[in-house]
Amino acid sequence: MPITLYDLAGEEADRRFSPFCWRTRMALAHKGLDVETVPWRFTEKDKLPKPNDGRVPVIVDGGRVVHDSTAIADYLEQRYPERPPLFDGRAGRALTRFVQNWTETVVNVGLVRLVVLDIWRHAAPQDRDYFRRSREERFRATLEDVVRDREARLPAFRAALDPLRRTVERQNFVAGDTPAYADYIVFGAFQWARAISDLELLAADDPVHAWRGRMLDLFGGLARRAPAYGN
Amino acid sequence: MPITLYDLAGEEADRRFSPFCWRTRMALAHKGLDVETVPWRFTEKDKLPKPNDGRVPVIVDGGRVVHDSTAIADYLEQRYPERPPLFDGRAGRALTRFVQNWTETVVNVGLVRLVVLDIWRHAAPQDRDYFRRSREERFRATLEDVVRDREARLPAFRAALDPLRRTVERQNFVAGDTPAYADYIVFGAFQWARAISDLELLAADDPVHAWRGRMLDLFGGLARRAPAYGN
């Protein structure tokens, strides 16, 4: 029986734009597990299987419900140890946490200020008021004001990717010769943006762009085939 | 026979302030290897065993010369596989590179603009002109100008440590329950600053401060005993 993944969707049901759900989607593919995704909208808190914290990803695996992308990765590693490892040992898991913390405090924080209005534009109609209100409260600004000078901020965002850039300049993936969960964490952020925004985040000659291309090619082009902008 | 480590020293021979040498020093202690350090000054390029690239660390292990901290870590791991691992596998090494690239592009770059004048003050007299000239060329500013507004820049430096902060808030070391080379890379940067500057880089209640304390305690207080400021 395939694993069910509740996956954030936009107005188009197959446009999936949660950075956290993309981590899980890639991790499931890495483990070679069948998945059936259920498109889910921000305002459908009641439709999630319990327990949940009102957010996705949530997976159901043979009746077992697991929520939170980090908990899901740990669950998959423990439940399917005979399949390709997401972490490669204790230090691998610990160091992956550092990559996660970098992604969440640098990449995600930088990205949302570039694309938050694009998210609103692609959100399902019933989600738009909720999304606008909650994000404008968080930023204490209108979504239009948050992104207004985004072209001017793009060079600083690109510069902040230096640790990633230097890494994937010298090795194919963040986790080395082959990708692992650390890659999916960082990639989730880029795939989030790519799904909803035509902003050219990465210059074509950026080693990060090349790495993202390698990520898009994984698992038969799983992420490349998903509805997204071509940037 | 102990391994010889050529180690950057200041006016006082036992004040050691190279972030790269501290990586090696900690790695040697991690492996439980005896070491004899040779104080070395910037202007003593001719005194290094060959091959070298004119910089430290350089180690000599039973006649074998290895230079560059990264090459030394790889050498130690390969030469002494029966001793505690610095990396814990292929993914561990690859992810450690990410930590290194973060340290070098964020921490070291931020730190040098805070403490470069302190380095000059502690450099050996014969090194000072060389140090000032080479760094002023690099910064296109006098050392005094580089550090002039450092108190104002301290909050941004501390904020840039967020990925490290979140990590060591939730686990004892960057590499997990026990320290590994990823920790020594980051720690080298802080020990560099601590050796020559009285600037309070870290607030006392910062989780990064607590982690640094755990690092200072390792190997019988190896780094804590070294001449440094108490900050």
Side-chain angles (χ1 to χ4, degrees):
Chain A
M1 208 171 85
I3 291 173
T4 303
L5 165 64
Y6 288 80
D7 192 12
L8 183 67
E11 179 166 16
E12 302 146 90
D14 58 350
R15 189 175 298 272
R16 307 298 169 85
F17 63 97
S18 157
F20 304 100
C21 290
W22 272 107
R23 294 180 189 178
T24 298
R25 191 76 196 277
M26 300 294 278
L28 289 164
H30 181 99
K31 286 281 186 191
L33 295 164
D34 283 339
V35 62
E36 214 164 55
T37 70
V38 177
W40 177 87
R41 272 71 182 221
F42 287 113
T43 47
E44 297 178 334
K45 311 268 184 215
D46 294 342
K47 293 196 181 166
L48 292 176
K50 291 194 170 72
N52 66 69
D53 63 1
R55 296 185 298 182
V56 286
V58 177
I59 65 166
V60 185
D61 183 16
R64 169 102 184 242
V65 178
V66 189
H67 67 90
D68 180 274
S69 57
T70 302
I72 291 170
D74 285 343
Y75 166 80
L76 294 176
E77 194 75 335
Q78 194 184 11
R79 173 75 183 75
Y80 300 101
E82 76 289 0
R83 291 171 177 257
L86 291 168
F87 297 111
D88 193 21
R90 290 166 67 88
R93 172 183 267 102
L95 293 166
T96 296
R97 290 284 157 85
F98 180 83
V99 175
Q100 177 178 339
N101 292 329
W102 177 77
T103 302
E104 295 180 1
T105 59
V106 176
V107 188
N108 289 8
V109 166
L111 272 179
V112 74
R113 292 184 165 270
L114 300 173
V115 303
V116 68
L117 185 61
D118 296 313
I119 302 174
W120 178 80
R121 286 195 184 115
H122 285 86
Q126 66 269 33
D127 279 358
R128 285 193 192 137
D129 285 354
Y130 159 79
F131 184 82
R132 179 179 283 276
R133 193 174 57 246
S134 61
R135 270 52 177 184
E136 292 190 344
E137 260 174 38
R138 189 186 301 170
F139 290 115
R140 297 167 190 271
T142 66
L143 301 186
E144 286 75 7
D145 279 347
V146 171
V147 303
R148 194 175 306 281
D149 60 341
R150 70 178 188 172
E151 296 287 346
R153 282 182 285 117
L154 196 52
F157 173 77
R158 289 176 175 180
L161 301 177
D162 268 350
L164 175 62
R165 182 169 294 118
R166 274 205 200 184
T167 303
V168 298
E169 228 168 27
R170 297 167 196 188
Q171 58 198 36
N172 272 337
F173 297 99
V174 178
D177 296 334
T178 57
Y181 196 63
D183 290 273
Y184 308 141
I185 290 171
V186 189
F187 176 70
F190 288 101
Q191 184 69 354
W192 165 41
R194 193 173 161 275
I196 47 81
S197 179
D198 66 355
L199 182 65
E200 196 176 307
L201 284 176
L202 301 169
D205 63 350
D206 188 337
V208 178
H209 187 280
W211 163 81
R212 195 185 58 170
R214 293 192 287 278
M215 298 300 294
L216 288 166
D217 289 339
L218 292 176
F219 316 124
L222 171 68
R224 195 185 286 288
R225 284 196 315 269
Y229 289 87
N231 58 333
Chain B
M1 208 172 86
I3 291 173
T4 303
L5 165 65
Y6 288 80
D7 193 12
L8 183 66
E11 180 166 16
E12 303 145 88
D14 58 350
R15 189 175 298 271
R16 307 297 169 86
F17 63 96
S18 158
F20 305 100
C21 291
W22 272 108
R23 295 180 189 178
T24 299
R25 191 78 196 277
M26 299 295 278
L28 289 164
H30 180 99
K31 288 279 186 192
L33 295 163
D34 283 340
V35 62
E36 213 164 56
T37 70
V38 177
W40 177 87
R41 272 71 182 222
F42 287 113
T43 47
E44 297 177 335
K45 311 267 184 217
D46 294 341
K47 292 197 182 165
L48 291 176
K50 291 194 171 72
N52 66 67
D53 63 1
R55 295 185 298 182
V56 286
V58 176
I59 65 165
V60 185
D61 182 18
R64 169 101 185 244
V65 178
V66 189
H67 66 89
D68 179 273
S69 57
T70 302
I72 292 170
D74 285 342
Y75 166 80
L76 294 176
E77 193 76 336
Q78 193 182 12
R79 173 74 182 76
Y80 301 100
E82 75 289 359
R83 291 171 178 257
L86 291 168
F87 297 112
D88 192 21
R90 290 165 68 88
R93 173 184 267 103
L95 293 166
T96 296
R97 290 284 157 86
F98 180 84
V99 174
Q100 177 178 340
N101 292 330
W102 177 77
T103 302
E104 294 179 3
T105 59
V106 176
V107 187
N108 289 9
V109 166
L111 272 179
V112 73
R113 292 184 165 271
L114 299 173
V115 304
V116 68
L117 185 61
D118 297 313
I119 302 173
W120 177 80
R121 285 195 184 114
H122 285 86
Q126 66 269 33
D127 279 357
R128 284 192 193 139
D129 286 353
Y130 159 80
F131 184 82
R132 178 178 283 275
R133 193 175 57 247
S134 61
R135 270 53 177 183
E136 293 190 343
E137 260 173 37
R138 188 185 302 168
F139 290 115
R140 297 167 189 272
T142 65
L143 301 187
E144 287 74 8
D145 279 346
V146 172
V147 303
R148 194 175 305 285
D149 60 341
R150 69 179 188 171
E151 296 285 347
R153 282 182 285 117
L154 196 52
F157 173 77
R158 289 176 174 181
L161 301 177
D162 268 350
L164 175 62
R165 182 169 294 118
R166 274 206 199 183
T167 303
V168 298
E169 226 168 29
R170 296 167 196 189
Q171 58 198 37
N172 272 337
F173 296 99
V174 178
D177 296 334
T178 56
Y181 196 64
D183 290 274
Y184 308 141
I185 290 171
V186 189
F187 177 71
F190 288 101
Q191 184 69 352
W192 165 40
R194 193 173 160 275
I196 48 81
S197 178
D198 66 356
L199 182 65
E200 196 177 307
L201 285 176
L202 302 169
D205 62 351
D206 188 336
V208 178
H209 188 280
W211 164 80
R212 195 184 58 172
R214 292 191 287 277
M215 298 300 295
L216 289 166
D217 289 339
L218 292 175
F219 316 124
L222 171 69
R224 196 185 286 287
R225 284 196 315 271
Y229 289 86
N231 58 331

